[in-house]
Amino acid sequence: MAIQQTLSIIKPDAVKKNVIGEILTRFEKNGLSVIGSKLLFLSKEQAEKFYEIHKERPFYAELVAFMTSGPVLVSVLEGEEAVAKNREIMGATNPAEAAEGTIRKDFAESIDANAVHGSDSHENAINEILFFFKEDEIFSKLEV
Ligand code: IDP
Ligand code: MG
């Protein structure tokens, strides 16, 4: 077991539903701490770059359009095995397949408007955190 950091995005659908607080509470109740957070309205260029890994997928244009349809809350979460823990709390990509009690089961409408993003590996977490945050915008519990 190791303390890790991971990137979370509360997507435009969930921000519009006014459930930022309820989603952050899920993280906190499961042992993760918010150590950096901000509301952003992503530009098309930012969304394209962030999801570059999915460029060849048929849903890429739709995904970029959705992620730029309203503000998002980007956060750095920290805790034991934060990458896997966050994925577990989020639930499956398709809310129809998400387990009971997960964020996507409770707040997501569809496979594209699925409430949250979470890094899928430690390496991607580091890159995704650096994509959105400067060092002085993150307040690790390990340092304070
Ligand atoms: P993840 O968010 O669970 O890691 P990924 O496979 O990395 O899932 O896909 C990134 C995002 O792309 C998903 O969260 C979802 O918003 C969107 N997406 C994935 N598959 C589809 C699809 O088949 N149709 C439309 N959008 C999709
Ligand atoms: Mg993914």
PDB file of all heavy atoms in Angstrom, residues 51 54 87 117-120 128, ligand 2:
ATOM      1  N   TYR A  51      -7.534  14.556 -23.927  1.00  0.00           N
ATOM      2  CA  TYR A  51      -8.061  13.260 -24.378  1.00  0.00           C
ATOM      3  C   TYR A  51      -7.371  12.757 -25.650  1.00  0.00           C
ATOM      4  O   TYR A  51      -7.933  11.911 -26.355  1.00  0.00           O
ATOM      5  CB  TYR A  51      -9.574  13.348 -24.585  1.00  0.00           C
ATOM      6  CG  TYR A  51     -10.374  13.217 -23.304  1.00  0.00           C
ATOM      7  CD1 TYR A  51     -11.163  14.256 -22.822  1.00  0.00           C
ATOM      8  CD2 TYR A  51     -10.361  12.028 -22.564  1.00  0.00           C
ATOM      9  CE1 TYR A  51     -11.903  14.124 -21.645  1.00  0.00           C
ATOM     10  CE2 TYR A  51     -11.093  11.887 -21.387  1.00  0.00           C
ATOM     11  CZ  TYR A  51     -11.863  12.935 -20.942  1.00  0.00           C
ATOM     12  OH  TYR A  51     -12.593  12.788 -19.789  1.00  0.00           O
ATOM     13  N   HIS A  54      -7.385   9.230 -26.928  1.00  0.00           N
ATOM     14  CA  HIS A  54      -8.597   8.673 -27.546  1.00  0.00           C
ATOM     15  C   HIS A  54      -8.852   9.222 -28.959  1.00  0.00           C
ATOM     16  O   HIS A  54      -9.941   9.033 -29.513  1.00  0.00           O
ATOM     17  CB  HIS A  54      -9.829   8.975 -26.684  1.00  0.00           C
ATOM     18  CG  HIS A  54      -9.814   8.318 -25.350  1.00  0.00           C
ATOM     19  ND1 HIS A  54      -9.659   6.965 -25.191  1.00  0.00           N
ATOM     20  CD2 HIS A  54      -9.923   8.832 -24.096  1.00  0.00           C
ATOM     21  CE1 HIS A  54      -9.667   6.671 -23.896  1.00  0.00           C
ATOM     22  NE2 HIS A  54      -9.817   7.779 -23.215  1.00  0.00           N
ATOM     23  N   ARG A  87     -11.013   4.962  -9.036  1.00  0.00           N
ATOM     24  CA  ARG A  87     -11.696   4.217 -10.099  1.00  0.00           C
ATOM     25  C   ARG A  87     -12.824   3.354  -9.506  1.00  0.00           C
ATOM     26  O   ARG A  87     -13.888   3.205 -10.114  1.00  0.00           O
ATOM     27  CB  ARG A  87     -10.708   3.329 -10.869  1.00  0.00           C
ATOM     28  CG  ARG A  87      -9.602   4.061 -11.622  1.00  0.00           C
ATOM     29  CD  ARG A  87     -10.061   4.833 -12.825  1.00  0.00           C
ATOM     30  NE  ARG A  87     -10.772   4.037 -13.788  1.00  0.00           N
ATOM     31  CZ  ARG A  87     -11.067   4.438 -15.021  1.00  0.00           C
ATOM     32  NH1 ARG A  87     -10.699   5.653 -15.440  1.00  0.00           N
ATOM     33  NH2 ARG A  87     -11.738   3.683 -15.838  1.00  0.00           N
ATOM     34  N   HIS A 117     -14.276  11.875 -14.408  1.00  0.00           N
ATOM     35  CA  HIS A 117     -13.068  11.280 -14.989  1.00  0.00           C
ATOM     36  C   HIS A 117     -12.140  10.916 -13.840  1.00  0.00           C
ATOM     37  O   HIS A 117     -12.090  11.629 -12.843  1.00  0.00           O
ATOM     38  CB  HIS A 117     -12.345  12.287 -15.903  1.00  0.00           C
ATOM     39  CG  HIS A 117     -10.937  11.863 -16.240  1.00  0.00           C
ATOM     40  ND1 HIS A 117     -10.658  11.035 -17.296  1.00  0.00           N
ATOM     41  CD2 HIS A 117      -9.746  12.111 -15.616  1.00  0.00           C
ATOM     42  CE1 HIS A 117      -9.350  10.801 -17.321  1.00  0.00           C
ATOM     43  NE2 HIS A 117      -8.766  11.444 -16.308  1.00  0.00           N
ATOM     44  N   GLY A 118     -11.380   9.839 -14.000  1.00  0.00           N
ATOM     45  CA  GLY A 118     -10.327   9.522 -13.028  1.00  0.00           C
ATOM     46  C   GLY A 118      -9.142   8.911 -13.746  1.00  0.00           C
ATOM     47  O   GLY A 118      -9.317   8.093 -14.657  1.00  0.00           O
ATOM     48  N   SER A 119      -7.939   9.294 -13.358  1.00  0.00           N
ATOM     49  CA  SER A 119      -6.732   8.727 -13.981  1.00  0.00           C
ATOM     50  C   SER A 119      -6.767   7.207 -13.848  1.00  0.00           C
ATOM     51  O   SER A 119      -7.249   6.672 -12.848  1.00  0.00           O
ATOM     52  CB  SER A 119      -5.478   9.246 -13.282  1.00  0.00           C
ATOM     53  OG  SER A 119      -5.504  10.638 -13.152  1.00  0.00           O
ATOM     54  N   ASP A 120      -6.210   6.519 -14.877  1.00  0.00           N
ATOM     55  CA  ASP A 120      -6.291   5.049 -14.864  1.00  0.00           C
ATOM     56  C   ASP A 120      -4.969   4.360 -14.526  1.00  0.00           C
ATOM     57  O   ASP A 120      -4.901   3.136 -14.513  1.00  0.00           O
ATOM     58  CB  ASP A 120      -6.855   4.537 -16.192  1.00  0.00           C
ATOM     59  CG  ASP A 120      -5.983   4.903 -17.385  1.00  0.00           C
ATOM     60  OD1 ASP A 120      -4.889   5.482 -17.178  1.00  0.00           O
ATOM     61  OD2 ASP A 120      -6.399   4.607 -18.520  1.00  0.00           O
ATOM     62  N   GLU A 128      -1.529  13.832 -15.861  1.00  0.00           N
ATOM     63  CA  GLU A 128      -2.804  14.575 -15.849  1.00  0.00           C
ATOM     64  C   GLU A 128      -2.804  15.668 -14.781  1.00  0.00           C
ATOM     65  O   GLU A 128      -3.364  16.747 -14.988  1.00  0.00           O
ATOM     66  CB  GLU A 128      -3.969  13.599 -15.632  1.00  0.00           C
ATOM     67  CG  GLU A 128      -4.176  12.686 -16.849  1.00  0.00           C
ATOM     68  CD  GLU A 128      -5.329  11.709 -16.695  1.00  0.00           C
ATOM     69  OE1 GLU A 128      -5.987  11.707 -15.629  1.00  0.00           O
ATOM     70  OE2 GLU A 128      -5.569  10.945 -17.642  1.00  0.00           O
TER      71      GLU A 128
HETATM   72 MG    MG B   2      -9.920   6.717 -19.139  1.00  0.00          MG
END
